[in-house]
Amino acid sequence: MNDCQDKLSGIIGAKIIRASSSLHQFAIELSGDQCLILDAAAGKSGPAIEPLVADAGKFPSSGDAVCAVDWSWISGGELTAIKASSDQVKLTLTPQGPITVSVAVWQGKPFLSFMPYKAPAK
């Protein structure tokens, strides 16, 4: 996971353009023509999150209708920190605050959950 953390540290300071999610994926388009994609996967020792930093052209076109989330509240924020483990990724955004993406299993398949999934009450 250290190699993964090193790759993720390269996007610290990027601004968020937009985000999209599905039951199995969370994607954030970033300034600098990059995107962060977090995929739910069945790992050898349980469910895992597989992060990928790619060019913005890899940003997915749409998410599952089952898990439609309005992520517009994070647009314009700055990604100021990322802490990743095999089953959880914590993104710290300024000024929005932290978002934790976790992976779990339901009916034998991995899925992602988000906390918070909407703008916190002020």
PDB file of all heavy atoms in Angstrom, residues 1-9 36 38 49-51 81-91 100-101:
ATOM      1  N   MET A   1       0.826  -1.196   0.000  1.00  0.00           N
ATOM      2  CA  MET A   1       0.000   0.000   0.000  1.00  0.00           C
ATOM      3  C   MET A   1       0.866   1.254   0.000  1.00  0.00           C
ATOM      4  O   MET A   1       0.406   2.310  -0.381  1.00  0.00           O
ATOM      5  CB  MET A   1      -0.941  -0.037   1.202  1.00  0.00           C
ATOM      6  CG  MET A   1      -2.026   1.020   1.211  1.00  0.00           C
ATOM      7  SD  MET A   1      -3.063   1.270  -0.248  1.00  0.00           S
ATOM      8  CE  MET A   1      -4.052  -0.169  -0.305  1.00  0.00           C
ATOM      9  N   ASN A   2       2.143   1.167   0.405  1.00  0.00           N
ATOM     10  CA  ASN A   2       3.026   2.338   0.383  1.00  0.00           C
ATOM     11  C   ASN A   2       3.227   2.870  -1.025  1.00  0.00           C
ATOM     12  O   ASN A   2       3.244   4.074  -1.240  1.00  0.00           O
ATOM     13  CB  ASN A   2       4.390   2.017   1.005  1.00  0.00           C
ATOM     14  CG  ASN A   2       4.314   1.964   2.522  1.00  0.00           C
ATOM     15  OD1 ASN A   2       3.375   2.483   3.111  1.00  0.00           O
ATOM     16  ND2 ASN A   2       5.285   1.322   3.132  1.00  0.00           N
ATOM     17  N   ASP A   3       3.388   1.966  -2.008  1.00  0.00           N
ATOM     18  CA  ASP A   3       3.528   2.383  -3.398  1.00  0.00           C
ATOM     19  C   ASP A   3       2.276   3.136  -3.852  1.00  0.00           C
ATOM     20  O   ASP A   3       2.357   4.149  -4.519  1.00  0.00           O
ATOM     21  CB  ASP A   3       3.779   1.164  -4.288  1.00  0.00           C
ATOM     22  CG  ASP A   3       3.989   1.545  -5.743  1.00  0.00           C
ATOM     23  OD1 ASP A   3       4.752   2.500  -5.990  1.00  0.00           O
ATOM     24  OD2 ASP A   3       3.388   0.897  -6.612  1.00  0.00           O
ATOM     25  N   CYS A   4       1.119   2.628  -3.450  1.00  0.00           N
ATOM     26  CA  CYS A   4      -0.155   3.265  -3.772  1.00  0.00           C
ATOM     27  C   CYS A   4      -0.224   4.652  -3.136  1.00  0.00           C
ATOM     28  O   CYS A   4      -0.610   5.623  -3.779  1.00  0.00           O
ATOM     29  CB  CYS A   4      -1.296   2.392  -3.266  1.00  0.00           C
ATOM     30  SG  CYS A   4      -2.897   3.173  -3.354  1.00  0.00           S
ATOM     31  N   GLN A   5       0.177   4.748  -1.878  1.00  0.00           N
ATOM     32  CA  GLN A   5       0.152   6.035  -1.178  1.00  0.00           C
ATOM     33  C   GLN A   5       1.065   7.036  -1.882  1.00  0.00           C
ATOM     34  O   GLN A   5       0.727   8.203  -2.007  1.00  0.00           O
ATOM     35  CB  GLN A   5       0.574   5.853   0.288  1.00  0.00           C
ATOM     36  CG  GLN A   5       0.380   7.086   1.141  1.00  0.00           C
ATOM     37  CD  GLN A   5      -1.083   7.424   1.388  1.00  0.00           C
ATOM     38  OE1 GLN A   5      -1.912   6.564   1.676  1.00  0.00           O
ATOM     39  NE2 GLN A   5      -1.418   8.698   1.278  1.00  0.00           N
ATOM     40  N   ASP A   6       2.220   6.584  -2.368  1.00  0.00           N
ATOM     41  CA  ASP A   6       3.131   7.466  -3.099  1.00  0.00           C
ATOM     42  C   ASP A   6       2.484   8.002  -4.370  1.00  0.00           C
ATOM     43  O   ASP A   6       2.601   9.185  -4.684  1.00  0.00           O
ATOM     44  CB  ASP A   6       4.433   6.741  -3.448  1.00  0.00           C
ATOM     45  CG  ASP A   6       5.290   6.455  -2.227  1.00  0.00           C
ATOM     46  OD1 ASP A   6       5.065   7.093  -1.170  1.00  0.00           O
ATOM     47  OD2 ASP A   6       6.176   5.587  -2.329  1.00  0.00           O
ATOM     48  N   LYS A   7       1.795   7.142  -5.120  1.00  0.00           N
ATOM     49  CA  LYS A   7       1.115   7.572  -6.342  1.00  0.00           C
ATOM     50  C   LYS A   7       0.007   8.574  -6.026  1.00  0.00           C
ATOM     51  O   LYS A   7      -0.173   9.555  -6.731  1.00  0.00           O
ATOM     52  CB  LYS A   7       0.528   6.374  -7.084  1.00  0.00           C
ATOM     53  CG  LYS A   7       1.570   5.489  -7.712  1.00  0.00           C
ATOM     54  CD  LYS A   7       0.929   4.297  -8.380  1.00  0.00           C
ATOM     55  CE  LYS A   7       1.989   3.355  -8.909  1.00  0.00           C
ATOM     56  NZ  LYS A   7       1.424   2.133  -9.474  1.00  0.00           N
ATOM     57  N   LEU A   8      -0.717   8.326  -4.959  1.00  0.00           N
ATOM     58  CA  LEU A   8      -1.811   9.214  -4.578  1.00  0.00           C
ATOM     59  C   LEU A   8      -1.303  10.573  -4.115  1.00  0.00           C
ATOM     60  O   LEU A   8      -1.958  11.586  -4.329  1.00  0.00           O
ATOM     61  CB  LEU A   8      -2.669   8.568  -3.494  1.00  0.00           C
ATOM     62  CG  LEU A   8      -3.428   7.311  -3.910  1.00  0.00           C
ATOM     63  CD1 LEU A   8      -4.145   6.715  -2.712  1.00  0.00           C
ATOM     64  CD2 LEU A   8      -4.391   7.591  -5.041  1.00  0.00           C
ATOM     65  N   SER A   9      -0.129  10.607  -3.504  1.00  0.00           N
ATOM     66  CA  SER A   9       0.393  11.891  -3.015  1.00  0.00           C
ATOM     67  C   SER A   9       0.665  12.863  -4.157  1.00  0.00           C
ATOM     68  O   SER A   9       0.692  14.071  -3.952  1.00  0.00           O
ATOM     69  CB  SER A   9       1.645  11.680  -2.168  1.00  0.00           C
ATOM     70  OG  SER A   9       2.703  11.193  -2.969  1.00  0.00           O
ATOM     71  N   LEU A  36      -9.006  10.577 -10.273  1.00  0.00           N
ATOM     72  CA  LEU A  36      -8.793   9.533  -9.276  1.00  0.00           C
ATOM     73  C   LEU A  36      -9.979   8.598  -9.372  1.00  0.00           C
ATOM     74  O   LEU A  36     -11.130   9.041  -9.293  1.00  0.00           O
ATOM     75  CB  LEU A  36      -8.691  10.133  -7.874  1.00  0.00           C
ATOM     76  CG  LEU A  36      -8.696   9.137  -6.706  1.00  0.00           C
ATOM     77  CD1 LEU A  36      -7.485   8.213  -6.771  1.00  0.00           C
ATOM     78  CD2 LEU A  36      -8.760   9.877  -5.380  1.00  0.00           C
ATOM     79  N   LEU A  38     -11.543   5.069  -7.713  1.00  0.00           N
ATOM     80  CA  LEU A  38     -11.495   4.070  -6.643  1.00  0.00           C
ATOM     81  C   LEU A  38     -12.485   2.974  -6.997  1.00  0.00           C
ATOM     82  O   LEU A  38     -13.680   3.237  -7.139  1.00  0.00           O
ATOM     83  CB  LEU A  38     -11.862   4.702  -5.297  1.00  0.00           C
ATOM     84  CG  LEU A  38     -11.041   5.913  -4.858  1.00  0.00           C
ATOM     85  CD1 LEU A  38     -11.591   6.493  -3.552  1.00  0.00           C
ATOM     86  CD2 LEU A  38      -9.569   5.545  -4.711  1.00  0.00           C
ATOM     87  N   ILE A  49     -10.176  -1.733  -1.891  1.00  0.00           N
ATOM     88  CA  ILE A  49     -10.326  -0.593  -2.788  1.00  0.00           C
ATOM     89  C   ILE A  49      -9.066  -0.520  -3.637  1.00  0.00           C
ATOM     90  O   ILE A  49      -7.956  -0.492  -3.102  1.00  0.00           O
ATOM     91  CB  ILE A  49     -10.518   0.724  -2.012  1.00  0.00           C
ATOM     92  CG1 ILE A  49     -11.825   0.684  -1.220  1.00  0.00           C
ATOM     93  CG2 ILE A  49     -10.510   1.915  -2.982  1.00  0.00           C
ATOM     94  CD1 ILE A  49     -12.053   1.909  -0.352  1.00  0.00           C
ATOM     95  N   GLU A  50      -9.264  -0.492  -4.942  1.00  0.00           N
ATOM     96  CA  GLU A  50      -8.142  -0.368  -5.871  1.00  0.00           C
ATOM     97  C   GLU A  50      -8.142   1.053  -6.428  1.00  0.00           C
ATOM     98  O   GLU A  50      -9.011   1.404  -7.226  1.00  0.00           O
ATOM     99  CB  GLU A  50      -8.263  -1.393  -6.998  1.00  0.00           C
ATOM    100  CG  GLU A  50      -8.125  -2.813  -6.516  1.00  0.00           C
ATOM    101  CD  GLU A  50      -8.222  -3.833  -7.635  1.00  0.00           C
ATOM    102  OE1 GLU A  50      -8.581  -3.471  -8.774  1.00  0.00           O
ATOM    103  OE2 GLU A  50      -7.944  -5.011  -7.353  1.00  0.00           O
ATOM    104  N   PRO A  51      -7.177   1.887  -6.001  1.00  0.00           N
ATOM    105  CA  PRO A  51      -7.109   3.256  -6.502  1.00  0.00           C
ATOM    106  C   PRO A  51      -6.309   3.338  -7.798  1.00  0.00           C
ATOM    107  O   PRO A  51      -5.369   2.569  -8.008  1.00  0.00           O
ATOM    108  CB  PRO A  51      -6.406   4.013  -5.380  1.00  0.00           C
ATOM    109  CG  PRO A  51      -5.617   2.982  -4.658  1.00  0.00           C
ATOM    110  CD  PRO A  51      -6.274   1.653  -4.892  1.00  0.00           C
ATOM    111  N   ALA A  81      -5.307  16.166   1.362  1.00  0.00           N
ATOM    112  CA  ALA A  81      -4.663  14.990   1.960  1.00  0.00           C
ATOM    113  C   ALA A  81      -5.398  13.731   1.519  1.00  0.00           C
ATOM    114  O   ALA A  81      -6.602  13.768   1.259  1.00  0.00           O
ATOM    115  CB  ALA A  81      -4.657  15.073   3.484  1.00  0.00           C
ATOM    116  N   ILE A  82      -4.655  12.632   1.434  1.00  0.00           N
ATOM    117  CA  ILE A  82      -5.229  11.318   1.134  1.00  0.00           C
ATOM    118  C   ILE A  82      -4.552  10.306   2.046  1.00  0.00           C
ATOM    119  O   ILE A  82      -3.330  10.264   2.142  1.00  0.00           O
ATOM    120  CB  ILE A  82      -4.984  10.889  -0.325  1.00  0.00           C
ATOM    121  CG1 ILE A  82      -5.563  11.888  -1.312  1.00  0.00           C
ATOM    122  CG2 ILE A  82      -5.573   9.500  -0.567  1.00  0.00           C
ATOM    123  CD1 ILE A  82      -5.217  11.575  -2.760  1.00  0.00           C
ATOM    124  N   LYS A  83      -5.375   9.497   2.702  1.00  0.00           N
ATOM    125  CA  LYS A  83      -4.839   8.395   3.505  1.00  0.00           C
ATOM    126  C   LYS A  83      -5.536   7.128   3.029  1.00  0.00           C
ATOM    127  O   LYS A  83      -6.761   7.030   3.084  1.00  0.00           O
ATOM    128  CB  LYS A  83      -5.101   8.629   4.990  1.00  0.00           C
ATOM    129  CG  LYS A  83      -4.492   7.549   5.845  1.00  0.00           C
ATOM    130  CD  LYS A  83      -4.604   7.835   7.311  1.00  0.00           C
ATOM    131  CE  LYS A  83      -3.920   6.695   8.052  1.00  0.00           C
ATOM    132  NZ  LYS A  83      -4.020   6.810   9.464  1.00  0.00           N
ATOM    133  N   ALA A  84      -4.755   6.179   2.524  1.00  0.00           N
ATOM    134  CA  ALA A  84      -5.331   4.977   1.933  1.00  0.00           C
ATOM    135  C   ALA A  84      -4.882   3.721   2.653  1.00  0.00           C
ATOM    136  O   ALA A  84      -3.729   3.589   3.049  1.00  0.00           O
ATOM    137  CB  ALA A  84      -4.926   4.894   0.460  1.00  0.00           C
ATOM    138  N   SER A  85      -5.826   2.805   2.814  1.00  0.00           N
ATOM    139  CA  SER A  85      -5.530   1.442   3.253  1.00  0.00           C
ATOM    140  C   SER A  85      -6.257   0.518   2.290  1.00  0.00           C
ATOM    141  O   SER A  85      -6.932   0.993   1.370  1.00  0.00           O
ATOM    142  CB  SER A  85      -5.991   1.215   4.697  1.00  0.00           C
ATOM    143  OG  SER A  85      -7.399   1.273   4.790  1.00  0.00           O
ATOM    144  N   SER A  86      -6.166  -0.773   2.479  1.00  0.00           N
ATOM    145  CA  SER A  86      -6.787  -1.689   1.524  1.00  0.00           C
ATOM    146  C   SER A  86      -8.308  -1.582   1.508  1.00  0.00           C
ATOM    147  O   SER A  86      -8.931  -1.809   0.480  1.00  0.00           O
ATOM    148  CB  SER A  86      -6.372  -3.127   1.807  1.00  0.00           C
ATOM    149  OG  SER A  86      -6.818  -3.526   3.083  1.00  0.00           O
ATOM    150  N   ASP A  87      -8.916  -1.213   2.644  1.00  0.00           N
ATOM    151  CA  ASP A  87     -10.379  -1.187   2.702  1.00  0.00           C
ATOM    152  C   ASP A  87     -10.986   0.193   2.929  1.00  0.00           C
ATOM    153  O   ASP A  87     -12.202   0.321   3.088  1.00  0.00           O
ATOM    154  CB  ASP A  87     -10.878  -2.142   3.779  1.00  0.00           C
ATOM    155  CG  ASP A  87     -10.425  -1.746   5.178  1.00  0.00           C
ATOM    156  OD1 ASP A  87      -9.523  -0.898   5.316  1.00  0.00           O
ATOM    157  OD2 ASP A  87     -10.969  -2.311   6.142  1.00  0.00           O
ATOM    158  N   GLN A  88     -10.150   1.243   2.920  1.00  0.00           N
ATOM    159  CA  GLN A  88     -10.680   2.581   3.173  1.00  0.00           C
ATOM    160  C   GLN A  88      -9.742   3.645   2.590  1.00  0.00           C
ATOM    161  O   GLN A  88      -8.526   3.511   2.671  1.00  0.00           O
ATOM    162  CB  GLN A  88     -10.815   2.786   4.681  1.00  0.00           C
ATOM    163  CG  GLN A  88     -11.615   3.976   5.088  1.00  0.00           C
ATOM    164  CD  GLN A  88     -11.821   3.992   6.591  1.00  0.00           C
ATOM    165  OE1 GLN A  88     -10.914   4.355   7.335  1.00  0.00           O
ATOM    166  NE2 GLN A  88     -12.996   3.581   7.037  1.00  0.00           N
ATOM    167  N   VAL A  89     -10.351   4.682   2.013  1.00  0.00           N
ATOM    168  CA  VAL A  89      -9.590   5.833   1.527  1.00  0.00           C
ATOM    169  C   VAL A  89     -10.235   7.078   2.113  1.00  0.00           C
ATOM    170  O   VAL A  89     -11.437   7.294   1.951  1.00  0.00           O
ATOM    171  CB  VAL A  89      -9.582   5.913  -0.021  1.00  0.00           C
ATOM    172  CG1 VAL A  89      -8.861   7.171  -0.489  1.00  0.00           C
ATOM    173  CG2 VAL A  89      -8.926   4.672  -0.612  1.00  0.00           C
ATOM    174  N   LYS A  90      -9.426   7.863   2.823  1.00  0.00           N
ATOM    175  CA  LYS A  90      -9.919   9.109   3.398  1.00  0.00           C
ATOM    176  C   LYS A  90      -9.348  10.262   2.582  1.00  0.00           C
ATOM    177  O   LYS A  90      -8.128  10.433   2.495  1.00  0.00           O
ATOM    178  CB  LYS A  90      -9.509   9.250   4.861  1.00  0.00           C
ATOM    179  CG  LYS A  90     -10.065  10.506   5.512  1.00  0.00           C
ATOM    180  CD  LYS A  90      -9.700  10.579   6.979  1.00  0.00           C
ATOM    181  CE  LYS A  90     -10.227  11.848   7.606  1.00  0.00           C
ATOM    182  NZ  LYS A  90      -9.864  11.936   9.027  1.00  0.00           N
ATOM    183  N   LEU A  91     -10.265  11.045   1.988  1.00  0.00           N
ATOM    184  CA  LEU A  91      -9.888  12.216   1.202  1.00  0.00           C
ATOM    185  C   LEU A  91     -10.217  13.446   2.021  1.00  0.00           C
ATOM    186  O   LEU A  91     -11.341  13.585   2.501  1.00  0.00           O
ATOM    187  CB  LEU A  91     -10.702  12.256  -0.107  1.00  0.00           C
ATOM    188  CG  LEU A  91     -10.672  10.991  -0.960  1.00  0.00           C
ATOM    189  CD1 LEU A  91     -11.741  11.056  -2.035  1.00  0.00           C
ATOM    190  CD2 LEU A  91      -9.299  10.810  -1.568  1.00  0.00           C
ATOM    191  N   THR A 100     -14.802   9.804   3.576  1.00  0.00           N
ATOM    192  CA  THR A 100     -14.232   8.479   3.730  1.00  0.00           C
ATOM    193  C   THR A 100     -14.967   7.509   2.814  1.00  0.00           C
ATOM    194  O   THR A 100     -16.193   7.410   2.864  1.00  0.00           O
ATOM    195  CB  THR A 100     -14.317   8.007   5.196  1.00  0.00           C
ATOM    196  OG1 THR A 100     -13.622   8.946   6.019  1.00  0.00           O
ATOM    197  CG2 THR A 100     -13.699   6.635   5.371  1.00  0.00           C
ATOM    198  N   VAL A 101     -14.210   6.826   1.974  1.00  0.00           N
ATOM    199  CA  VAL A 101     -14.747   5.812   1.071  1.00  0.00           C
ATOM    200  C   VAL A 101     -14.317   4.458   1.635  1.00  0.00           C
ATOM    201  O   VAL A 101     -13.122   4.228   1.856  1.00  0.00           O
ATOM    202  CB  VAL A 101     -14.207   6.001  -0.370  1.00  0.00           C
ATOM    203  CG1 VAL A 101     -14.792   4.941  -1.295  1.00  0.00           C
ATOM    204  CG2 VAL A 101     -14.493   7.410  -0.884  1.00  0.00           C
TER     205      VAL A 101
END
